[in-house]
Amino acid sequence: MSSIIELQDVSKEYRNEDLVTPVLHNINFKIDNGEFVAIMGPSGSGKSTLMHILGFLDKITTGKYLFDNRDVSTLEDDELAQMRSNSVGFVFQAFHLLPRTTILENVMLPLVYTKVSEKERIKRATEALNSVGLSHRLFYTPGQLSGGEKQRAAIARALVNNPSIIFADEPTGNLDSKSGLQVMRILQKLNEEGHTVILVTHEKYTADHAKRILRVSDGEIISDEFVKSRIIASEASDLAK
C-alpha cells in the first residue's frame, strides 16, 4: 500500500522575538492510504500542532513533509491553501457551522470557490448529508440541531470535496457519550469505505475506533502501535433514526 504521508525528521518551533519555543522534535512516520490513525497525547503534548502541519495549516521548521510523494515542506501559503482545498477535509471540536445558514448551504461551502456548478454542489452536499444520516435536516439551521447532528453535518462538509484525508481534531469533545459514539462510528464506517482518517484525541474510547495509535508526549512520538479496532462500525445502522 502506498504512503500518502511521510514525515522525515520534522521539528517545529515558534519564535517570538528572542523567545524560541520548541514544540515538535525529530518526528518520523508514514501513513498509508486507507489507514485510520489516532494521534493521542495530553494537552500541550504537540498533537494538535502535528495535525495542523499534516493538514497544511502550519509549516514545519526543519525536516521534510511528503504528501502523496510531493514535498510540501517549502510550499508558499497560497499553494498550501490549494492543497487544503483539494486534498483534505477537517472536522473540529467546535463544529464551525454558520449559524444563519441552512445545513445544506453549510455543507456546500467548500465548493463555493470551485468550478463546480450550483446544481452539482447541491447534489454533492445532499449526498454527503445523506451519508451521515441527515437527509431530513437539509433546510434546518445549526441552532435547530443537536450537538451530535452538528458534528455529523461538519463531517458531511469535510466529505463534500471528496478529500484524500479526513482530519478530525477532538471531534467528540463537545458531545455526550452517545452522540460521540455515533460520530466515531461514522468516521470508522468512512474509513472502511476507503477514506484515510487521522484523528487527534486525548480520549481512549475515541481512539479505540482506530487501527493504529501514535502516542505523543513532549513533542516526541513515544509509541506507534497497530491495534485491532474493538468498535464495530456496522453498529452505525441506527444513525439515521
Side-chain angles (χ1 to χ4, degrees):
M1 188 175 292
S2 61
S3 296
I4 190 167
I5 280 176
E6 180 176 356
L7 267 60
Q8 301 175 359
D9 295 322
V10 165
S11 295
K12 176 65 181 180
E13 61 185 28
Y14 293 102
R15 291 180 176 270
N16 184 5
E17 296 181 351
D18 294 331
L19 178 64
V20 178
T21 304
V23 180
L24 299 175
H25 313 282
N26 299 317
I27 303 293
N28 290 275
F29 62 80
K30 295 180 181 180
I31 295 176
D32 290 339
N33 279 296
E35 282 200 82
F36 190 159
V37 180
I39 300 175
M40 291 193 70
S43 297
S45 63
K47 63 184 186 299
S48 290
T49 298
L50 179 56
M51 192 211 73
H52 290 165
I53 287 172
L54 297 178
F56 317 116
L57 294 168
D58 205 348
K59 296 181 179 180
I60 67 175
T61 303
T62 60
K64 183 178 288 188
Y65 174 19
L66 302 177
F67 183 86
D68 202 15
N69 294 317
R70 180 183 181 187
D71 185 355
V72 300
S73 307
T74 58
L75 294 184
E76 299 297 329
D77 289 343
D78 57 341
E79 293 174 302
L80 291 173
Q82 186 175 18
M83 294 282 285
R84 285 196 301 272
S85 176
N86 295 336
S87 302
V88 301
F90 292 98
V91 181
F92 295 103
Q93 178 177 339
F95 316 134
H96 297 309
L97 299 172
L98 299 180
R100 295 184 177 84
T101 304
T102 68
I103 296 305
L104 179 64
E105 291 169 329
N106 266 283
V107 174
M108 289 168 56
L109 281 175
L111 300 173
V112 168
Y113 297 106
T114 68
K115 297 180 180 179
V116 177
S117 68
E118 182 177 6
K119 181 179 179 180
E120 179 65 16
R121 292 201 299 266
I122 293 172
K123 178 176 179 290
R124 290 192 195 180
T126 301
E127 290 174 348
L129 284 163
N130 184 58
S131 74
V132 298
L134 287 180
S135 58
H136 59 310
R137 295 286 194 259
L138 300 185
F139 303 107
Y140 283 53
T141 60
Q144 296 173 297
L145 269 57
S146 68
E149 288 174 329
K150 290 176 184 176
Q151 195 59 292
R152 285 152 61 186
I155 292 172
R157 183 183 56 198
L159 288 172
V160 77
N161 260 344
N162 192 28
S164 300
I165 297 181
I166 299 170
F167 290 100
D169 190 1
E170 302 282 6
T172 63
N174 284 336
L175 305 178
D176 59 56
S177 58
K178 181 180 179 180
S179 297
L181 184 58
Q182 287 182 331
V183 164
M184 290 312 305
R185 285 173 176 169
I186 289 176
L187 290 174
Q188 190 184 25
K189 184 171 182 289
L190 291 170
N191 174 249
E192 292 180 352
E193 292 171 352
H195 292 276
T196 304
V197 179
I198 298 178
L199 166 72
V200 171
T201 184
H202 66 278
E203 298 171 326
K204 184 179 181 299
Y205 94 91
T206 304
D208 278 345
H209 293 77
K211 297 175 182 176
R212 177 183 174 192
I213 298 177
L214 290 169
R215 287 186 169 85
V216 183
S217 180
D218 297 326
E220 298 181 347
I221 302 292
I222 59 172
S223 68
D224 184 353
E225 178 185 8
F226 287 88
V227 296
K228 183 177 180 180
S229 182
R230 292 178 289 277
I231 307 296
I232 301 172
S234 60
E235 294 174 6
S237 59
D238 62 346
L239 287 173
K241 294 182 180 179

